[in-house]
Amino acid sequence: MAKNKTTFICQNCGSVFTRWQGKCEACGEWNTIVEESDTNGIGGGPLRSKRKGRPAALMPLSGETEEAPRIVSGIAELDRVTGGGFVRGSALLVGGDPGIGKSTLLMQAAAALARGGHKVIYVSGEEAVAQVRLRAQRLKAADTSVQLMAETNIEDILATLGQDKRPDLVIIDSIQTVWTDMAESAPGTVTQVRAGSQALIRYAKSSGAAVILVGHVTKEGQIAGPRVVEHMVDAVLYFEGEGGHHYRILRTVKNRFGPTDEIGVFEMSDIGLREVQNPSELFLGERNGQAPGAAVFAGMEGTRPVLVEIQALVAPSTLGTPRRSVLGWDQPRLAMVLAVLEAHCGVRLGQHDVYLNVAGGYRIQEPAADLAVAAALVSSLSGQPLPTDCVYFGEISLSGSVRPVAHAGQRLKEAEKLGFRQSVLPSASADLPRNREVAAHEIESLPHLVARVAGRQLQSET
C-alpha cells in the first residue's frame, strides 16, 4: 500500500520543498511554507490503475478556421482589453489590489451582459448575498437578471451550474476562497487554488461558458498562488491604480484570443467605474506649463496613443550618495539616462538628488519615454520650462544617439488632436503623416536635445 507523502509548499510562489524552512529560497519570503498532504491525486499521491490509452484524431494545419464566438459586454474599455468580448468556453483570471475595484467592474459587466439577454451567474465566496445586493443597488444593477450564489465548495458550485440551462458567463469572486473535497488543505493554499482552478477551467471548456476567476495579489503585485494557474487560463488581466487617484487601468498580460498590449482606462466614482474614452485628457488635466522639469510624452498602449506628463526635480544633494526616486517608470532606465547625459552631454548630476514622477500615477513600460525624461531632467536642472505645446518621444542608446520608435504617426495625430503644435522626435522616423499641423523637430543625438532645451551654455555653467 502506498505511503502518504507530505510536501511543503510556499503559499507565495508555489515552490515545493521536502522539509520545512523559515525562508523560501525561490521568492525570498518568510513563513510562507506550509505542510500539505499529497494524497489527493493533484500533483502526486497513490497511483491509480493503469488505463489503456485511446488514439486521438490527427488534423492537418491547413483547413477552414472559424472565429471564436464572443460575448460583447457593451463596456467599450473592457471589450478593448479582452480583444472584442469574452470568448465562449474560455477562462480569464483578473487580479488586483484589495479595494481597487475588481468586484465593482465585474458587477457592472455582469449587469451589462444581463441587460443584453445573457445568462450570468455571480458566485461570491467572500461576501454574503445581502452584501452583493447592496453593491448592485449602488451600481444601478439591482434591476437586472444576474443570479447570485454565496458558495465556496467547488463541487456544490459545479452541481448548481449544471442543473439548469448553461450560463453564458460565470464569475468566481474569488478563487482563493474556493475549496474542494479532493484536497485536505485549507482554502487559499496552493493545492486548493490549483485544484479549484483546474475544475472550473474544465467546466468552461466542456460547457462553453465563459468563466472569470478573481485572484488576490501579493505585496509585489503578482497574483497570489501558483504561477501554473496563469498558464492554465486563457487570459490574465491586471486591474491597476493608485489609492490617491480616481483612475483605474485594466491591463492585459496574457490573451490567447487577442492582443496583449491593450489597456482600458476607468475612473472611479460614487456610482461605480466610468469609462474614460480619452485617457490623454485625464493625465494632462492638471498640467502647469510654466514650471520647469515637465515634459509631455507621447506614448503607445497597444493600438491606443496616450499622452502623459513626466515630471522631474533635480536639486543639490546634502547626502553622500544622492537620492534617486522614481514613480511610474523603470529605475534602472533612469540610471542609464543619467549616465548618458553625464558622459556624452556634460550634464553633471552626480551631486544632485533626482526625483522622477509620471503624472496621474500612470506607469510607462516602453523605452520611447527616454527622450521625454532627458528633456525633463535638463529643464529642471537649468530652470528653463519646456514649451507647453511640445511633445517628446524617442529611445536613447548608450552611445548618446536617439533611436526611432514605432507608431510615430499615431503619436503625432494624438498630439495634434489635443492642441500640441511641436514635437521632438528621432530623425528618420517612419510613417510620419504628410499633412500634419504638428511641427516635427528631428534630432540625431542627445547633445542636440540638451542644446535645444537649455542652450549651448549649459555645459560651461555646470
Side-chain angles (χ1 to χ4, degrees), residues 21-104:
Q21 55 192 35
K23 182 180 180 181
C24 176
E25 299 175 354
C27 63
E29 292 293 325
W30 287 88
N31 299 324
T32 58
I33 299 178
V34 176
E35 178 182 357
E36 295 189 13
S37 177
D38 211 6
T39 61
N40 48 67
I42 303 296
L47 296 176
R48 298 179 179 178
S49 59
K50 185 177 180 181
R51 179 181 65 85
K52 184 177 180 181
R54 57 179 181 269
L58 299 176
M59 306 297 293
L61 288 176
S62 59
E64 296 182 359
T65 58
E66 297 181 359
E67 290 291 336
R70 295 181 180 270
I71 306 173
V72 180
S73 67
I75 302 177
E77 296 296 304
L78 179 60
D79 293 334
R80 172 195 291 270
V81 174
T82 56
F86 302 110
V87 177
R88 297 184 182 274
S90 65
L92 289 80
L93 181 61
V94 180
D97 295 330
I100 201 69
K102 302 185 297 296
S103 300
T104 300

Side-chain angles (χ1 to χ4, degrees), residues 63-403:
E64 296 182 359
T65 58
E66 297 181 359
E67 290 291 336
R70 295 181 180 270
I71 306 173
V72 180
S73 67
I75 302 177
E77 296 296 304
L78 179 60
D79 293 334
R80 172 195 291 270
V81 174
T82 56
F86 302 110
V87 177
R88 297 184 182 274
S90 65
L92 289 80
L93 181 61
V94 180
D97 295 330
I100 201 69
K102 302 185 297 296
S103 300
T104 300
L105 174 64
L106 294 179
M107 177 59 70
Q108 291 184 230
L113 288 172
R115 292 189 181 99
H118 298 282
K119 182 180 179 181
V120 182
I121 296 180
Y122 192 103
V123 182
S124 176
E126 300 179 351
E127 299 174 306
V129 173
Q131 294 175 298
V132 180
R133 285 175 176 171
L134 288 176
R135 182 189 301 116
Q137 293 176 4
R138 178 173 59 87
L139 301 176
K140 310 298 183 184
D143 58 341
T144 61
S145 59
V146 177
Q147 296 177 314
L148 303 178
M149 175 171 43
E151 183 57 57
T152 57
N153 182 265
I154 190 64
E155 285 78 15
D156 295 342
I157 293 175
L158 294 179
T160 305
L161 296 177
Q163 70 178 358
D164 201 353
K165 179 185 176 182
R166 182 206 69 187
D168 296 309
L169 179 67
V170 179
I171 300 174
I172 308 295
D173 188 8
S174 67
I175 190 61
Q176 271 80 14
T177 62
V178 174
W179 60 279
T180 174
D181 295 330
M182 296 178 58
E184 300 178 358
S185 305
T189 57
V190 170
T191 301
Q192 290 284 5
V193 171
R194 182 172 51 203
S197 302
Q198 189 175 18
L200 290 169
I201 293 172
R202 190 185 307 115
Y203 166 77
K205 302 299 181 183
S206 60
S207 65
V211 176
I212 299 180
L213 310 178
V214 179
H216 296 167
V217 297
T218 61
K219 293 184 295 184
E220 291 77 18
Q222 302 295 326
I223 296 180
R227 296 303 298 270
V228 68
V229 176
E230 298 188 26
H231 297 287
M232 293 164 57
V233 297
D234 299 304
V236 179
L237 311 179
Y238 276 91
F239 208 41
E240 306 172 355
E242 298 291 338
H245 299 278
H246 295 292
Y247 88 97
R248 301 290 186 268
I249 291 181
L250 185 63
R251 189 184 303 272
T252 310
V253 296
K254 174 188 176 182
N255 194 353
R256 291 174 178 165
F257 307 106
T260 58
D261 51 4
E262 292 286 358
I263 65 169
V265 184
F266 300 88
E267 185 177 7
M268 180 64 75
S269 63
D270 55 348
I271 58 173
L273 293 166
R274 182 183 65 84
E275 297 180 71
V276 178
Q277 302 294 341
N278 193 348
S280 300
E281 294 182 354
L282 176 65
F283 297 129
L284 297 176
E286 300 178 356
R287 181 167 171 251
N288 183 9
Q290 301 300 323
V296 178
F297 165 61
M300 291 292 298
E301 285 288 351
T303 58
R304 163 186 282 175
V306 177
L307 268 61
V308 63
E309 184 183 49
I310 296 179
Q311 302 168 349
L313 176 61
V314 179
S317 177
T318 59
L319 305 174
T321 302
R323 185 174 300 172
R324 303 286 188 261
S325 178
V326 184
L327 291 176
W329 204 45
D330 191 16
Q331 188 157 0
R333 196 87 189 170
L334 173 63
M336 186 205 74
V337 173
L338 294 175
V340 174
L341 282 172
E342 187 160 352
H344 297 286
C345 305
V347 180
R348 308 301 178 187
L349 295 169
Q351 302 299 322
H352 291 76
D353 292 333
V354 176
Y355 301 89
L356 191 72
N357 176 50
V358 180
Y362 181 72
R363 179 161 185 84
I364 300 174
Q365 297 185 343
E366 60 172 335
D370 293 349
L371 203 62
V373 170
L377 292 172
V378 176
S379 172
S380 178
L381 180 64
S382 63
Q384 300 183 12
L386 297 173
T388 58
D389 61 344
C390 186
V391 296
Y392 301 81
F393 60 89
E395 181 182 356
I396 297 175
S397 64
L398 292 178
S399 62
S401 61
V402 180
R403 300 167 57 90

